[in-house]
Amino acid sequence: DTTILNNIMARSLAMWGYTPQQIEKAAEVLKITEEFLDKSVCYVAKIDDLIKGFFCIAPSRSEALSEAKFYIEPDSIRLGLGTKLWNKVIHELRTEEVRCFKFLIDPNAQGFYEKLGAIRIGEQLSDVTEGYTIPIMKYNITKNK
């Protein structure tokens, strides 16, 4: 259900101290659609039958950025859900013979992705906040077996 996923995304973004206006703009720009889900590898994490997080990625087969959405409910961060979701998605991508992918992240989460083996390869201007840059990360699936 895209409504549930979009609500989790908004609550997750709010955790980083963004203003309501920034969250509203981000929710508009980053909106999760059925079309995105149809082309993505997507896993959800549940606790007591409630979705507490998700990781969806539409991997690019070229050097282009992959569209990725990875959000955890604020009350469920640090429970290991993010790492479990990451591992599930990486396993799936490996079976689809995806060798690597590049993706944009929230700067507040850079340490999490680096811990998982992703490396920062650059940055680009945000589509959400004028003058704000966001990291571009790369994950080499074949190197991180």
Side-chain angles (χ1 to χ4, degrees):
D1 182 357
T2 58
T3 302
I4 292 170
L5 300 183
N6 282 304
N7 288 338
I8 291 170
M9 177 180 61
R11 287 189 294 272
S12 181
L13 290 169
M15 174 187 98
W16 298 115
Y18 294 114
T19 67
Q21 295 80 10
Q22 287 172 311
I23 294 167
E24 186 177 320
K25 175 73 173 180
E28 179 184 311
V29 170
L30 302 172
K31 185 175 183 177
I32 298 155
T33 63
E34 290 292 334
E35 179 181 271
F36 168 71
L37 294 177
D38 288 344
K39 66 181 181 182
S40 299
V41 171
C42 192
Y43 283 92
V44 298
K46 291 183 177 181
I47 297 176
D48 298 328
D49 290 326
L50 296 173
I51 297 175
K52 293 294 190 169
F54 63 94
F55 181 20
C56 303
I57 184 168
S60 171
R61 299 288 179 178
S62 68
E63 286 295 310
L65 287 170
S66 296
E67 187 176 1
K69 317 279 187 194
F70 194 175
Y71 299 97
I72 306 293
E73 285 280 13
D75 68 353
S76 297
I77 289 178
R78 302 212 184 276
L79 299 179
L81 299 179
T83 302
K84 287 178 185 175
L85 286 168
W86 177 268
N87 290 336
K88 286 279 219 185
V89 168
I90 297 303
H91 177 75
E92 179 84 15
L93 294 176
R94 190 174 284 125
T95 64
E96 293 183 17
E97 298 183 3
V98 174
R99 294 174 169 242
C100 69
F101 59 94
K102 297 177 189 173
F103 58 109
L104 299 171
I105 64 163
D106 186 294
N108 295 296
Q110 184 172 328
F112 170 75
Y113 291 103
E114 289 173 339
K115 184 177 117 188
L116 295 170
I119 56 169
R120 183 178 174 146
I121 60 168
E123 62 186 28
Q124 80 173 36
L125 287 174
S126 170
D127 291 335
V128 176
T129 305
E130 190 175 327
Y132 190 73
T133 59
I134 51 177
I136 302 170
M137 303 296 284
K138 182 176 183 180
Y139 185 78
N140 292 306
I141 293 172
T142 53
K143 268 190 182 176
N144 292 292
K145 286 188 176 185

